[in-house]
Amino acid sequence: MKHRQLPIGIQNFRTIREEDFYYVDKTPLIRNLVGQGRFYFLSRPRRFGKSLLVDTLKSLFEGSEELFRGLDIHGHWDWSKKSPVVRLSFGGKYNEPGDVDRSVLNQLAIIERNAGLPQAISLDTGPERFQDLLDRLHHATGLQVVVLVDEYDKPILDVLENPDLAKANRDYLRGFYGIIKDSYEHVRFVLVTGVSMFSKVNLFSGLNNLEDISLNPQFATICGYTDNDLDTVFAPELPGLDREEVRRWYNGYHWLGEEKVYNPFDVLLLFRNRKFRPWWFETGSPEFLFRLLMEKEVSPMELENREVNENLVSKFDVGDIGVDSLLFQTGYLTIVEEEQRGSRILYRLDYPNFEVRQSLNQGLLEHVTRRGTEAANQGEELVRLLGENDFEGFGERLRSFLAGIPYPWHASGDLGRYESWYASMLYMSFRTIGVDLRVEDVSSHGRADMVVFRDGQIFVLEFKMTEGERDVEKMLDRAMAQMRERGYGEKYRDRGEPTHLVGLVFGGTERNLLGVRAETP
C-alpha cells in the first residue's frame, strides 16, 4: 500500500478526495443515517471530525458523484437528485452582544448569492432571513432543503463565564433553531453537531423532533478512527511505531458501540511527527474545567471509575453545568461500562487513554499549585525516593512541595482539612509522570487509599489526618495496624515483588505532612 497525504486540519471532503489524502470511509454509516430518519443531533469532543462529516453530507446531497467513486455509498445513491444545502458553521468569536446575529446574516447572504437568489436585505434578523431562505430555495429548485449546522453551541460555550451573554446567545439560538421545525415542509434532512448536549428544553424547545444519536451504538464510530481503520487504511504509516503504545496513548473513546475509537487529530499528528505526545490535549486549555472542579470540590482521584446516572452525562445548560456532563462531553472522560439497575441506566466513566489521564492531571496540578512545570517535576523526585526506599527523604520532599502551594486548592482552604486533598496532590504528581497506581484499591477486608507500582516494587499508602502534633505517632500506629490487619498487601503476594506499607499523617491545622512511617512485611 502506498503512502498518502495526512489530512491534518483538512475538513473539506472535496480536497481530501481530489488531492490523494487518506480517507476513512464513513459512508456506510451515512447511508444508514439518511435512510432511517430526517432530523439528527450529534455531540462529539473537539477535533473529532464533525466538520468533515458535515462537509461529506454537503457533497453527497449536492450530488458530487465523482467524489464518492470507490466508496460504499456510490452504488446506493440517486445521483440524479441534487438537493439545495444550507450549511452553517459557528466557528467564529461571539464575545459581544449581536455577534451571533451578524454571523448568521453574513452566512445566509453568502448562501443566497451562491444560489443565485436575490438577497433579502429587507429582513432584519437572522431567524427571519433563515426562514425566508428555506422557503425560497425550496420553491426555486422544487426540492426540499438540507440543513447542516456545525459547532451549534460555540456561541454559548465561548462565553460561559459571562452568564448574561451566554443566556442571550442561547435564547437567540433557540429561536433560530426553532425556524427549522416551523419550516418542516421545506426541509429534507437536518444534522446539528457540536461538543455539548444542551438541554432540549432550554435550547431545542422549538426543534424537539431532533433525534440525538450521540449515544446510539449504531453510529458510535461515525466520527473517529477504529483499530481496524489504523490497521487497514493507515497501514503504511504503522511501521516503526509500537502498535500497543499507539493504542495505550490514544485509543479508548466509547459511545456505547462495539468498538472504541481514536481521536483523528492525535493519530494524524503521531504519524507525521513519529512521537508520542498529547497532541489533542495541547490544542486547548481546559481552564474552565479546572475552575469548575475546584468550585465543586471534586478530587481528581474521583474521576477514575466514576459511576453516574445516564441523565447526568447530558445535563448541561447555562448556570447548571454538571461536572460529569462537562467531563464526558468534552472528551476528558468516556463511558467504559453501561449497567441496567431496575429502571435506571448507570454509566461508569473513566479516562479514555493515557494521553488524557496524564495531561489532565498535569494541567490541574499546575493550575492548583501555580508553579508550572516545576510542580510536575515533583512527581519524578517523589517516586525516585520511594523506589530507593528512602521514606524519610520522601516525607521531606513531600513536606517541601506542600509548603510551597499558595493555597489549598480553593480560596476558602476547607479542602486542606481533609486527607483526600493531600492524597489528590500526591495522585496528580504521580499521574503526571505516568506512574501506575490504584486508588481506593479493594481487598477482601477493605480499601487501600492508594497503591503505587514502581521499579518492581509495590507501595501501599494509607492517609490519616490529625488536629495536633501530639497525636502523630498514635495516628501512624493506627495506619500501620489497619494495613496489616486488613491485609492490604496480601493481594499482591503472588507477584513476588517487595511490598511496602507506608503510613502518612497530615495536620489539618498545619496543612502539611506531619509524619511518615514504612515497613516491609
Side-chain angles (χ1 to χ4, degrees):
M1 298 177 69
K2 69 173 184 177
H3 291 270
R4 298 178 183 272
Q5 294 190 76
L6 296 166
I8 299 171
I10 307 297
Q11 301 171 355
N12 184 274
F13 181 68
R14 178 174 292 277
T15 299
I16 286 176
R17 296 295 288 164
E18 289 183 343
E19 299 184 19
D20 201 32
F21 285 91
Y22 285 107
Y23 176 69
V24 173
D25 188 2
K26 298 295 184 179
T27 65
L29 295 172
I30 290 174
R31 182 154 62 94
N32 292 339
L33 190 70
V34 176
Q36 293 179 13
R38 291 176 59 187
F39 296 86
Y40 294 105
F41 169 78
L42 176 69
S43 165
R44 287 293 184 269
R46 59 186 172 84
R47 300 277 189 172
F48 237 94
K50 299 185 297 294
S51 297
L52 177 58
L53 173 65
V54 166
D55 201 65
T56 304
L57 283 162
K58 181 176 184 291
S59 296
L60 181 67
F61 281 109
E62 289 178 339
S64 302
E65 179 187 6
E66 71 282 4
L67 303 181
F68 292 87
R69 289 176 186 148
L71 301 182
D72 174 86
I73 204 168
H74 184 264
H76 303 278
W77 192 259
D78 184 354
W79 299 103
S80 65
K81 294 181 179 179
K82 299 185 179 182
S83 300
V85 177
V86 172
R87 178 185 177 178
L88 299 168
S89 176
F90 292 99
K93 291 186 178 296
Y94 305 92
N95 299 321
E96 299 294 333
D99 282 351
V100 185
D101 195 54
R102 282 188 286 272
S103 173
V104 168
L105 287 170
N106 182 59
Q107 292 186 68
L108 294 178
I110 293 171
I111 294 168
E112 289 170 343
R113 184 172 63 248
N114 291 341
L117 297 175
Q119 294 198 2
I121 56 176
S122 62
L123 299 176
D124 296 332
T125 69
E128 291 176 309
R129 191 86 163 261
F130 184 37
Q131 189 169 36
D132 176 74
L133 176 61
L134 294 176
D135 178 85
R136 288 195 292 153
L137 279 174
H138 187 191
H139 286 97
T141 63
L143 296 168
Q144 290 178 305
V145 183
V146 171
V147 179
L148 305 171
V149 182
D150 195 18
E151 297 190 79
Y152 87 98
D153 50 352
K154 192 171 185 293
I156 308 171
L157 298 180
D158 278 358
V159 293
L160 279 176
E161 294 182 86
N162 181 347
D164 290 340
L165 183 55
K167 289 176 182 177
N169 288 352
R170 180 200 64 191
D171 293 343
Y172 175 94
L173 291 171
R174 178 169 53 201
F176 180 77
Y177 295 135
I179 295 298
I180 299 174
K181 186 176 181 181
D182 292 342
S183 305
Y184 185 88
E185 71 274 17
H186 303 308
V187 176
R188 176 186 176 186
F189 180 87
V190 175
L191 176 66
V192 178
T193 74
V195 170
S196 59
M197 302 177 188
F198 271 92
S199 166
K200 282 190 177 183
V201 173
N202 292 313
L203 186 57
F204 291 125
S205 57
L207 187 55
N208 54 13
N209 55 340
L210 278 180
E211 179 185 350
D212 187 352
I213 60 170
S214 304
L215 291 177
N216 184 329
Q218 185 180 359
F219 301 108
T221 61
I222 200 165
C223 290
Y225 299 152
T226 66
D227 261 324
N228 184 64
D229 294 333
L230 265 65
D231 292 332
T232 55
V233 177
F234 294 101
E237 306 298 327
L238 291 175
L241 294 172
D242 185 323
R243 188 67 180 85
E244 284 304 312
E245 277 295 280
V246 176
R247 189 175 287 111
R248 183 175 78 95
W249 265 80
Y250 304 121
N251 195 20
Y253 295 94
H254 185 237
W255 286 281
L256 302 183
E258 294 182 359
E259 296 179 275
K260 297 177 180 179
V261 297
Y262 296 79
N263 184 310
F265 190 76
D266 272 326
V267 170
L268 296 175
L269 266 293
L270 170 67
F271 288 156
R272 184 180 72 181
N273 297 301
R274 318 302 290 180
K275 293 181 179 179
F276 292 96
R277 286 186 54 84
W279 302 112
W280 172 76
F281 195 92
E282 290 176 349
T283 63
S285 176
E287 287 293 318
F288 178 78
L289 172 59
F290 295 157
R291 286 193 290 273
L292 185 66
L293 289 172
M294 288 164 46
E295 176 188 323
K296 302 290 187 181
E297 299 186 357
V298 177
S299 162
M301 295 193 301
E302 296 173 28
L303 304 185
E304 295 193 20
N305 292 308
R306 189 172 179 86
E307 189 177 274
V308 301
N309 186 287
E310 64 171 333
N311 296 324
L312 294 182
V313 299
S314 57
K315 183 182 180 183
F316 199 102
D317 194 28
V318 178
D320 187 21
I321 301 172
V323 170
D324 298 305
S325 58
L326 184 62
L327 286 163
F328 171 66
Q329 293 170 32
T330 52
Y332 298 109
L333 294 183
T334 197
I335 297 173
V336 295
E337 187 177 26
E338 179 184 25
E339 181 181 352
Q340 183 89 38
R341 291 187 190 171
S343 61
R344 301 170 63 213
I345 294 178
L346 300 177
Y347 297 136
R348 187 163 58 84
L349 306 180
D350 207 337
Y351 298 109
N353 50 44
F354 176 80
E355 177 201 15
V356 176
R357 186 179 67 194
Q358 183 264 343
S359 300
L360 185 65
N361 278 284
Q362 179 172 340
L364 183 56
L365 181 65
E366 293 175 2
H367 178 84
V368 170
T369 63
R370 300 290 193 267
R371 291 166 66 180
T373 56
E374 178 191 347
N377 295 336
Q378 294 293 330
E380 293 284 2
E381 184 65 12
L382 287 167
V383 81
R384 180 188 68 79
L385 291 165
L386 276 183
E388 294 175 357
N389 297 171
D390 183 357
F391 300 108
E392 183 176 344
F394 172 82
E396 289 301 319
R397 172 63 66 172
L398 183 55
R399 286 189 192 94
S400 175
F401 174 47
L402 294 174
I405 297 174
Y407 54 86
W409 202 310
H410 160 311
S412 71
D414 290 342
L415 286 177
R417 297 185 179 277
Y418 298 97
E419 63 188 56
S420 62
W421 185 79
Y422 300 98
S424 294
M425 298 305 298
L426 203 52
Y427 169 88
M428 288 187 289
S429 299
F430 288 156
R431 281 303 194 202
T432 292
I433 60 171
V435 171
D436 185 16
L437 61 82
R438 307 285 184 273
V439 293
E440 295 292 323
D441 192 49
V442 180
S443 70
S444 57
H445 299 289
R447 294 173 182 265
D449 288 338
M450 185 182 299
V451 181
V452 177
F453 305 87
R454 187 71 171 187
D455 298 331
Q457 302 179 78
I458 301 168
F459 303 88
V460 181
L461 277 58
E462 185 67 23
F463 303 94
K464 296 295 182 185
M465 291 293 296
T466 182
E467 288 299 325
E469 292 190 21
R470 67 180 184 276
D471 296 325
V472 173
E473 290 303 317
K474 182 193 301 182
M475 297 303 292
L476 284 172
D477 290 342
R478 184 180 300 176
M480 304 310 293
Q482 179 177 320
M483 288 187 283
R484 287 193 299 269
E485 292 167 5
R486 298 183 182 181
Y488 284 169
E490 292 300 312
K491 66 183 293 185
Y492 301 108
R493 184 181 296 278
D494 291 344
R495 295 176 60 144
E497 298 171 341
T499 300
H500 311 278
L501 306 181
V502 184
L504 300 160
V505 174
F506 299 91
T509 301
E510 297 80 2
R511 300 193 178 184
N512 209 319
L513 178 70
L514 299 183
V516 58
R517 186 186 299 172
E519 63 182 49
T520 304

